């Protein structure tokens, strides 16, 4: 690669292709050149204020996280950025002859179309380049190369041609919005299945792989949501809800391992992961000891009769209820150890027909979970344990407002 300063000619190894009516060039570009030559998509709008909106969307925490990723991870890798180019004198130079080194020329049968798709793209230095897809990655690259990263890494960049006319602007804006509207964040299910940094995802996979007696088979429903369908009678909860339970516990329980959710998602040193695995197991072991219905579930070879008996009776067998109890336990660890916190939480009612579940969370007529504020349920449960988090009047008004019943009174304390 030749030239890495703004305005200097640059030669990029590339592939040429066509999709729809777009001709594109897939090139390799080092981070330093990319950071200095490519700008944000400000020129997609005539209006300066509309252009500034694009810039403001990039001035957030995400670009800092990408820069940190580049600076700290030896296994870093990006997918291709899509960059529009206009002006200047970009030229395509196809290879005209290639052959294998050795006795057998494996490339002799290449046709002309294939040959013409491999070559070099030259940029004169007068072009204007702006990212259509990958703006946050570009912002992170600019931040990182300006501070710590050398810029020697090479990333794939797909160039498309932009015409600076009204029709050209419309065409490029359409491509910009299509690329960004169709992009999707990785689903929670995908994170749990594949993420190699997220502590909760790693712990969920460890529990299922290494402790099948408690979490294997149908004991955890492999669904992409925290909600439990009526038809799943063998499962205590869903894999997404298990992830959410661990997220609450790891980020809120007063333990030496406590970290923010953002830090937990970024990962911890691998030699610390075992401690999180042990902490998760300790939580469920204590739950089994303090809650006979959970012991019954985890000890059962056939879990379906157990779940059928409790699903519409016991809050622990509803994802929202189980999450609420773990949130209570996490809060209680601020003043006692984990075993004591679980025993204290076990003083609370679990019947879905009892307050506060019966009015706030559970609809007995339809046997479904209502929409409710998880914070309100947590505050009510802590109030019942004699640990109010806010003035009783405020909690009562919120309780009445959410249920829609001004005659309600706060549930009686259990201690």
């Amino acid at each position: 690669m030749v030239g890495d300063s703004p305005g200097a000619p640059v030669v990029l190894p590339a592939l040429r292709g066509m999709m729809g009516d777009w001709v594109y060039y897939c090139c390799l570009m080092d981070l330093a050149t990319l950071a200095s030559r490519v700008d944000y998509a400000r020129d997609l709008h005539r209006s300066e204020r509309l252009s500034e909106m694009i810039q403001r969307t990039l001035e957030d925490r995400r670009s800092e996280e990408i820069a940190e990723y580049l600076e700290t991870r030896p296994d870093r890798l990006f997918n291709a950025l899509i960059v529009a180019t206009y002006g200047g004198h970009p030229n395509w130079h196809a290879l005209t002859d290639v052959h294998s080194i050795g006795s057998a020329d494996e490339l002799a049968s290449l046709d002309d179309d294939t040959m013409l798709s491999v070559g070099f793209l030259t940029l004169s230095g007068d072009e204007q380049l702006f990212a259509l897809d990958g703006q946050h990655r570009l912002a992170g690259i600019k931040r990182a190369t300006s501070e710590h990263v050398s810029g020697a890494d090479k990333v794939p960049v797909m160039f498309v041609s932009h015409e600076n006319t009204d029709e050209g602007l419309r065409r490029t804006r359409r491509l910009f919005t299509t690329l960004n509207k169709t992009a999707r964040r990785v689903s929670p299910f995908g994170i749990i299945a594949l993420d190699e940094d997220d502590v909760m995802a790693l712990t969920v996979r460890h529990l299922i792989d290494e402790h099948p007696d408690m979490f294997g088979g149908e004991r955890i429903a492999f669904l992409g949501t925290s909600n439990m369908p009526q038809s799943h009678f063998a499962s205590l909860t869903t894999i997404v809800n298990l992830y959410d339970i661990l997220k609450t516990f790891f980020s809120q329980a007063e333990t030496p391992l406590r970290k923010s959710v953002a830090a937990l998602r970024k990962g911890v040193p691998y030699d610390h992961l075992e401690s999180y695995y042990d902490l998760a197991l300790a939580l469920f072991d204590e739950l089994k000891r303090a809650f006979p219905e959970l012991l019954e579930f985890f000890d059962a070879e056939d879990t379906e009769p157990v779940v059928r008996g409790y699903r519409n009776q016991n809050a622990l067998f509803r994802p929202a209820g189980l999450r609420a109890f773990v949130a209570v336990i996490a809060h209680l660890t601020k003043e006692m150890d984990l075993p004591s916190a679980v025993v204290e939480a076990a003083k609370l009612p679990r019947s879905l027909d009892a307050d506060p579940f019966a009015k706030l969370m559970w609809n007995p007529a339809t046997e479904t979970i209502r929409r409710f504020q998880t914070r309100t349920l947590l505050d009510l449960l802590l109030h019942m344990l004699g640990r109010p988090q806010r003035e009783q009047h405020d909690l009562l008004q919120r309780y009445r407002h959410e249920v829609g019943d001004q005659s309600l009174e706060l549930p009686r304390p259990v201690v």
Side-chain angles (χ1 to χ4, degrees), residues 32 85 115 124 144 358:
T85 172
M115 288 290 298
S124 65

Side-chain angles (χ1 to χ4, degrees), residues 170-388:
R170 283 193 292 270
R171 173 176 161 83
T172 304
R173 275 199 301 267
R174 186 176 297 112
L175 178 60
F176 176 87
T177 54
T178 298
L179 291 169
N180 286 278
K181 280 195 301 186
T182 56
R184 293 289 184 268
R185 290 183 179 272
V186 179
S187 68
F189 197 75
I191 290 171
I192 295 167
L194 299 170
D195 200 296
E196 287 298 325
D197 296 310
D198 188 300
V199 174
M200 287 75 66
L202 290 164
T203 306
V204 167
R205 299 204 300 264
H206 175 85
L207 293 176
I208 291 170
D209 287 342
E210 302 300 326
H211 301 276
D213 56 322
M214 290 179 64
F215 303 96
E218 297 295 320
R219 293 171 181 271
I220 301 295
F222 277 54
L223 301 172
T225 175
S226 61
N227 297 325
M228 179 68 76
Q230 290 284 359
S231 59
H232 280 67
F233 280 109
S235 308
L236 173 65
T237 193
T238 72
I239 194 170
V240 171
N241 197 55
L242 179 57
Y243 175 98
D244 290 340
I245 285 169
L246 295 177
K247 179 174 67 176
T248 295
F249 191 66
F250 289 165
S251 65
Q252 296 179 19
E254 202 62 48
T255 74
L257 298 175
R258 182 180 180 183
K259 290 182 180 293
S260 69
V261 172
L264 290 165
R265 284 174 171 159
K266 286 183 185 176
V268 298
Y270 276 100
D271 57 353
H272 292 181
L273 280 174
E274 200 68 37
S275 298
Y276 284 97
Y277 301 158
D278 292 344
L279 181 60
L281 273 176
L283 170 64
F284 281 94
D285 283 341
E286 295 301 332
L287 288 171
K288 285 198 305 181
R289 290 190 183 97
F291 295 92
E293 58 268 58
L294 291 182
L295 177 63
E296 185 181 352
F297 170 83
F298 284 116
D299 279 356
E301 290 187 14
D302 181 3
T303 57
E304 184 169 339
V306 180
V307 176
R308 281 188 179 274
Y310 287 116
R311 174 57 47 78
N312 293 336
Q313 305 293 328
N314 191 301
L316 293 172
F317 286 78
R318 290 283 173 169
L322 187 56
R323 277 200 314 274
F325 271 86
V326 172
V328 168
I329 292 164
H331 183 88
L332 293 175
T333 58
K334 296 173 182 177
E335 56 183 271
M336 60 187 73
D337 61 19
L338 177 59
S340 300
V342 177
V343 169
E344 185 74 2
K347 297 175 182 178
L348 290 165
R350 276 97 75 186
S351 171
L352 290 170
D353 293 326
D355 292 338
F357 306 110
K359 296 182 175 66
L360 182 68
M361 187 182 92
W362 177 244
N363 186 335
T366 60
E367 297 188 332
T368 57
I369 298 295
R370 291 190 176 106
R371 285 181 169 271
F372 70 98
Q373 294 293 323
T374 57
R375 183 71 222 188
T376 302
L377 178 58
L378 174 61
D379 286 345
L380 288 169
L381 293 173
L382 290 172
H383 158 78
M384 295 173 71
L385 289 173
R387 292 169 174 82

Side-chain angles (χ1 to χ4, degrees), residues 375-384 388-401 410-411:
R375 183 71 222 188
T376 302
L377 178 58
L378 174 61
D379 286 345
L380 288 169
L381 293 173
L382 290 172
H383 158 78
M384 295 173 71
Q389 299 304 296
R390 58 190 70 240
E391 293 293 332
Q392 286 196 12
H393 175 75
D394 294 340
L395 178 58
L396 177 59
Q397 293 306 310
R398 187 148 51 89
Y399 185 34
R400 288 175 172 177
H401 174 73
L410 291 175

Side-chain angles (χ1 to χ4, degrees), residues 35-60:
S36 63
R37 298 288 288 269
V38 180
D39 204 351
Y40 307 117
R42 288 187 283 250
D43 293 322
L44 284 179
H45 296 288
R46 302 293 190 193
S47 164
E48 184 175 338
R49 292 183 65 188
L50 289 174
S51 298
E52 288 173 355
M53 287 178 62
I54 295 174
Q55 177 68 31
R56 286 200 301 272
T57 64
L58 303 174
E59 295 172 349
D60 61 12

Side-chain angles (χ1 to χ4, degrees), residues 6-51:
V10 64
V11 180
L12 305 171
L15 297 173
R16 182 181 185 274
M18 186 169 183
M19 186 169 183
D21 57 3
W22 286 99
V23 176
Y24 62 87
Y25 302 86
C26 291
C27 304
L28 294 179
M29 182 177 268
D30 64 69
L31 292 184
T33 303
L34 183 67
S36 63
R37 298 288 288 269
V38 180
D39 204 351
Y40 307 117
R42 288 187 283 250
D43 293 322
L44 284 179
H45 296 288
R46 302 293 190 193
S47 164
E48 184 175 338
R49 292 183 65 188
L50 289 174
S51 298

